[in-house]
Amino acid sequence: MNKIPLLVLLITLCASAFSMQYSLYPEDGSVEMNYWYYSGGQSGPQIKKEVIEDIEKAFRSEGVEPVVFANYSWMQDILFFDEVGNFVELANLPLNEEYYDGLTMGVFESFGWGSAELTRVSGDDFFPYDKKVKSLSLAFLEGGATITGKFANGESYLIAYESRFNGMAKAYRDLMSNSADTEEIHNYLANDLNVKPENLIFIPTKAGSEHLDLFMKALPGGVILIDDPSRRVEVASSALKNSSSNTLNNIMAYEEGDNYSWQKNNYKKKINLVTSLLEKKFKIISITGRFFEYFTNVNGVTTGQELINFFNGVSGVNKQGNPFYITNMAENDPELEDYWSKELSVLGFDSKNIHYPGEYSNGSGLDCMGSPTI
């Protein structure tokens, strides 16, 4: 990088340090939701027209207007808003792969020899949507690996992985102060994101890198639902005991078989680690919400698959003040949808405000498609 662009970047970092007047939009359903900006299902993996129609119908039934923003397949990962509806532009950092540690390949891909490709939404991309643009000076997050919300006292929080902190810390030391300690950088990031330092929480790297929105869901008041793998067999057996599908057999084959034992054990360790960390500040509710299956396809290949995930959804509150939850279907297994609805009913959701239009497969579902805003 030559001296002029570096100087411009440093000026931007300093001038932007206090530019975020509001926190990121809380995805926990604690504030009004009017729009859901999403990929439209035509960018990247094609989603059936009838599924798209069902998704849009579900949002509109809750007073939320879907808006197609087809820059990227999984818009949730790269599209951010603040809590009053401004578009938030992620930090415009140099393409140093050390700054983007922990991001998925679709967002940042290094080709070696200093060559890389970054998928980032800029203010210019958002011009047609008539939104004000606010810029982050250092923070570069990935939506699926970020959880935002508000505690009962109204304070905002943000949860991400430690690998993201490490990448941003490297950028800070290279571009701002090479002697900065962890606390200084943490405080700078908290200020950049307009949250208190104690409410900016990073999950240790040893918990892995699986997107947070695959195994947890934030609800208002500092409540977080976290997957409970220990009850998966019990839940599936109870819900599907009279089902004509073969899903229960496939789930049992995965859970009780020797295959994927390493993944299963590590997942349980991850859940325990994340729970023990977050329960210090949050009300954690353990609930089984994702189901893995082990089955043989039409070509005779036997593999593990995850086709049912209820965490990977969108929650909000409609104009009548009623909470709603829009998530992925359990295709051919409505009994599992009924189970999830009953669990949500205990948390204050009415059955008429719970919807299952999304299509989920191995880490990608409805929540990945878009970002909510006021």
Side-chain angles (χ1 to χ4, degrees), residues 7-26:
L7 178 60
V8 171
L9 179 61
L10 290 174
I11 293 172
T12 301
L13 283 168
C14 294
S16 300
F18 302 95
S19 62
M20 280 292 287
Q21 185 178 359
Y22 301 99
S23 304
L24 293 179
Y25 181 87

Side-chain angles (χ1 to χ4, degrees), residues 142-296:
E142 186 167 354
T146 303
I147 300 293
T148 56
K150 288 182 176 294
F151 291 111
N153 63 5
E155 291 181 1
S156 297
Y157 66 81
L158 188 148
I159 306 169
Y161 277 114
E162 187 180 45
S163 58
R164 269 297 62 232
F165 175 82
N166 293 339
M168 294 182 288
K170 173 64 175 173
Y172 186 92
R173 292 189 176 107
D174 285 353
L175 304 171
M176 296 282 288
S177 171
N178 60 13
S179 61
D181 61 18
T182 297
E183 183 179 8
E184 176 184 333
I185 300 169
H186 188 103
N187 290 341
Y188 186 96
L189 279 168
N191 183 76
D192 197 20
L193 294 161
N194 196 36
V195 297
K196 290 184 175 181
E198 61 267 29
N199 294 342
L200 178 59
I201 301 160
F202 292 102
I203 294 174
T205 302
K206 61 182 178 180
S209 60
E210 184 180 42
H211 274 191
L212 299 175
D213 66 352
L214 300 184
F215 63 90
M216 69 167 67
K217 186 73 183 76
L219 295 180
V223 174
I224 295 185
L225 309 181
I226 294 185
D227 187 37
D228 182 359
S230 69
R231 294 189 61 237
R232 196 168 288 142
V233 170
E234 175 190 343
V235 169
S237 298
S238 176
L240 299 173
K241 59 186 176 183
N242 297 319
S243 173
S244 59
S245 77
N246 201 41
T247 301
L248 178 57
N249 291 334
N250 293 335
I251 291 173
M252 298 294 282
Y254 179 89
E255 295 295 336
E256 298 183 343
D258 294 331
N259 293 296
Y260 299 99
S261 58
W262 183 86
Q263 289 92 326
K264 287 183 285 189
N265 290 334
N266 275 273
Y267 182 72
K268 291 175 182 176
K269 291 178 181 178
K270 185 245 308 274
I271 293 297
N272 290 336
L273 174 62
V274 173
T275 299
S276 64
L277 171 68
L278 297 184
E279 65 185 3
K280 299 170 185 176
K281 293 182 71 71
F282 298 88
K283 178 182 179 181
I284 302 299
I285 298 177
S286 295
I287 175 175
T288 302
R290 61 193 308 201
F291 299 87
F292 296 85
E293 304 174 41
Y294 190 62
F295 63 95
T296 303

Side-chain angles (χ1 to χ4, degrees), residues 31 43 96 128 159 262 331 365:
V31 303
S43 175
N96 181 334
I159 306 169
W262 183 86
E331 192 172 13

